[in-house]
Every structure is written in C-alpha cells, then in structure tokens.
Amino acid sequence: MPENRLVSAFRIVFVNNGSWKLFSLIIAVLVYFSIRADISHLRTLPVPVEVEYDAAQGGAAIESVEPRSVQITLRGSYADVNQLVPSSLRCVVRPKQKTNSPRDAVEIALGSSNLRGVHGLRVTKIEPAVAVVKFDVPMALRLAVAPPELVGKARGRVELVYDQTNAVVSGSRRLLSPLDATKVCVQPETIDVDGRSQSFSARVKLYPPGDPTSVVVEPSEIVVNVHIISEKATVKLERVPVTVLQPFASRSRWKTEPEWVDIDLTGRAEVVKALKFGEVSASVSGNVAFSLAETNEVPVLVHIRQGVSVDEVTATPANVRLVPLAPASAEEKKGP
C-alpha cells in the first residue's frame, strides 16, 4: 500500500498534465536566463586617472601619476551599461605623503570609491588596481601667454584684444626647471571665427606646458575680445560680354555697341575679391520695336551669382546702343 501511494503521488506530480508542466518549466527557464542576462551585462571602458591634491597645504607638488588611465569592467543591465557616457567617467585619487620629505612616492589601491560617473553599476574589475603618485619640490614659473590661434575664416579682418599676457605655472621642480621662460609659452585654446561678421567675447582656456595633470596654470582662462572689422574693397572686371535678352520667337535681332562693358563691384573685401569672371554677367533688354534705320540706347543690367551680396555695382558704360541686325532671308534660314 505505501508503494502504491508513492507511485500515485509520482504520477500526480510528474505525469498528469505533463505537457503543461513541461511548458511551464521551459517558460521559467527562459525568464530566469533573460533576467540574468539583463542584469549581468558587462562593459569594459578606459578611464583617465586624475589627482586631487592641494599643493598649498601639502607643501609638495605632484610630479607624476602612473598609470594615466585604467580599464574598468562594469556589470549591470544592458540599458544602464550602454547609457554610460565614457567622457564623464573619472578615476580620482587623493594621495597623502607618508613622510615630511617632499620627494616621495605613494601607492594607492584603486576601488569603486575612486570612480566617478558609474552610479547604479557594479564595478567588477579595475586594471591596474594600484596607482603610484610621485611627489616633488614645488616650483612656480611666470610665462608669457601665446596669442590665441584662429580657426575658420571670418567675414572681415580679425583683431584680438586681451589684458592677460602672463600666467603663473606651478608644479614639480623636475618638470619646470628645464623650461626656458624666454622661449616657452602658455598656450590658449583656439577661437572659432568661421563665418563671423560681428565682434564678440570669448573665455579661452589656458594650457600649461608639459603634463597638464601635474602642472597648474593660474589663471586657468582669459577673456579675449574678438573684433571683426569689415573692410571694403572695389574689384574691376574688364570686358564682360553683354547679352541681349528677348523672346525666342521674336523676329527682331540686335547686337550691342559696344559688345562688352567693365564692371566695378564694391563690398566686403573677402567677398568681392573671391568673385570670378564667370560669376558676374551683363545683359540688356532687346524687347523693343525693330527698325533698320534707328539705334536704341538701353541700360545695362548686372547679374551676380546667387548668394553673393555686394554693396554697389557699376557698369561702364552704363548704357549701350542696340544695333538692329537684318532678318535672315528664307533661303538663308533653310541653309545649304
């Protein structure tokens, strides 16, 4: 009897409605692995190492930090991991000197607490796992600020005005002492003036010579006033042919006298100087009564390529004469 009951219980649990139970098991397995995959997505990214250290309080300067970047592996859902912005990730270390010696080296174990921008994700690995920060005797050096470089082409002549012509660079003596203050400059970031026609001001970041992670420049940026001065110029195009405009079916035919004109264009220097011969044309209206015995004086119209703006256009002569051409005979029209 006990055996029969055991067999019956086995049938009830595993045999009765077996297809439905197997189907439920498959669904459960699929759900389990889908959830596991969703929360177990891995991604490895390079992250720069930054040092936060107050040289004024510590009495030393940072000479170097190794490595400059680490590889971090993050675990999380597919959506969270792939929404990361790599440029926002940082590995921050705060070194402390072991002794009073300004020349010292400190090893710092790296962990998730050193990482910034990885909220909600699990850090599974950091390679390498140790950063080495070297200290040195601090030094300050006054250097000239190089003129900012311009990027692009402005609509006029560009003049830069800024009051800050020198900056103080602080950092490791080993890094700064070899520098020649008469030859080395602090480099400002470039200023984009492409297509600009109005003056403006820009805050320009300053970059110290050498390793920016170990050297600090004060001030860190300067204000540059960018003056764009519009210069006018006049360009002459000589012997531009004059075209007679008239309906195609018109029986009247004309030629102009003279057959060409000179055209003066005045406007922004960079615009008018860039114009080419084929981008400017001249025409007159030939929609007048035909007469072999008369000539007609008509004004010259100047046409400039679309999109080009000039201040003044003058054609010389301003008017030309229309000279009638005899209509071709029927035999001439038929041709040979």
Side-chain angles (χ1 to χ4, degrees), residues 100-128:
N100 293 327
S101 174
R103 292 182 177 178
D104 193 7
V106 177
E107 291 188 357
I108 302 174
L110 302 178
S112 58
S113 60
N114 298 104
L115 299 178
R116 304 291 184 270
V118 294
H119 304 293
L121 297 172
R122 179 186 173 190
V123 181
T124 62
K125 184 185 295 185
I126 300 178
E127 294 183 337

Side-chain angles (χ1 to χ4, degrees), residues 290-306:
F290 178 79
S291 173
L292 289 174
E294 298 180 0
T295 59
N296 302 274
E297 189 170 274
V298 290
V300 176
L301 303 176
V302 178
H303 309 276
I304 306 175
R305 176 176 60 84
Q306 186 176 3

